[in-house]
Amino acid sequence: MSTDRTRPAGRRDPGRPGTVPPQRTPLRPRRAPRPHQWFAERLLAVLSGQRPVHWMLGHTVGEAYDQLAELAPSAPLGAGCRRPVLRACHGVQPVNGVVEAFASIATGEQIRALAFRLEQGPDLRWRCAAVDLGGERLRAVR
């Protein structure tokens, strides 16, 4: 017989009657975003007017910063009343240390294409080397 008077006789667990303890599922380690996915989010923030262009200063090389500085003031991905969303982003690695990526950006019913090139420096950091924003706007297909 139990000496604890708050529990029924024969009960050994501290849980409340009628409750089932939740099953613990093993947590999968979060995979760090790939460089092209990380850069797509950053470029989207700059080209939609959510972040200033100088936010990309240390993350660009060559003419990429000039391209961003030219595109950013008009916030080409920020047009409309909805916040733009990164729908998809894919990258290919033609040679070691280079990723050529493309992304589709949705703003409500509008979809835009974004292409960019990443190059890995001697310090192993990825930097954007070129940016291209797709031409005409397309309607979203549902």
Side-chain angles (χ1 to χ4, degrees):
M1 194 159 148
S2 173
T3 58
D4 185 2
R5 300 202 182 244
T6 60
R7 281 190 229 147
R11 184 163 177 132
R12 291 185 174 86
D13 64 84
R16 302 184 92 207
T19 61
V20 178
Q23 291 245 335
R24 291 192 176 220
T25 56
L27 296 176
R28 279 193 237 161
R30 284 191 129 182
R31 198 168 91 179
R34 295 182 176 179
H36 60 276
Q37 294 167 329
W38 186 82
F39 270 91
E41 290 286 350
R42 290 183 78 87
L43 290 169
L44 175 60
V46 169
L47 295 173
S48 65
Q50 297 172 37
R51 292 285 187 167
V53 71
H54 68 266
W55 190 53
M56 291 294 289
L57 249 175
H59 303 289
T60 56
V61 293
E63 295 180 15
Y65 185 79
D66 297 334
Q67 291 169 326
L68 281 174
E70 187 177 313
L71 289 168
S74 63
L77 297 178
C81 59
R82 294 202 176 160
R83 186 175 185 174
V85 176
L86 180 66
R87 285 181 46 157
C89 182
H90 302 280
V92 294
Q93 197 165 8
V95 295
N96 204 15
V98 173
V99 173
E100 292 181 352
F102 51 96
S104 62
I105 312 293
T107 306
E109 297 291 318
Q110 304 292 320
I111 298 176
R112 297 287 303 265
L114 172 66
F116 54 98
R117 178 183 174 97
L118 301 177
E119 295 177 358
Q120 195 172 32
D123 59 356
L124 301 181
R125 290 183 55 207
W126 290 95
R127 291 179 179 84
C128 185
V131 178
D132 187 24
L133 203 51
E136 71 180 74
R137 296 178 183 199
L138 304 173
R139 286 261 180 227
V141 178
R142 293 189 190 224

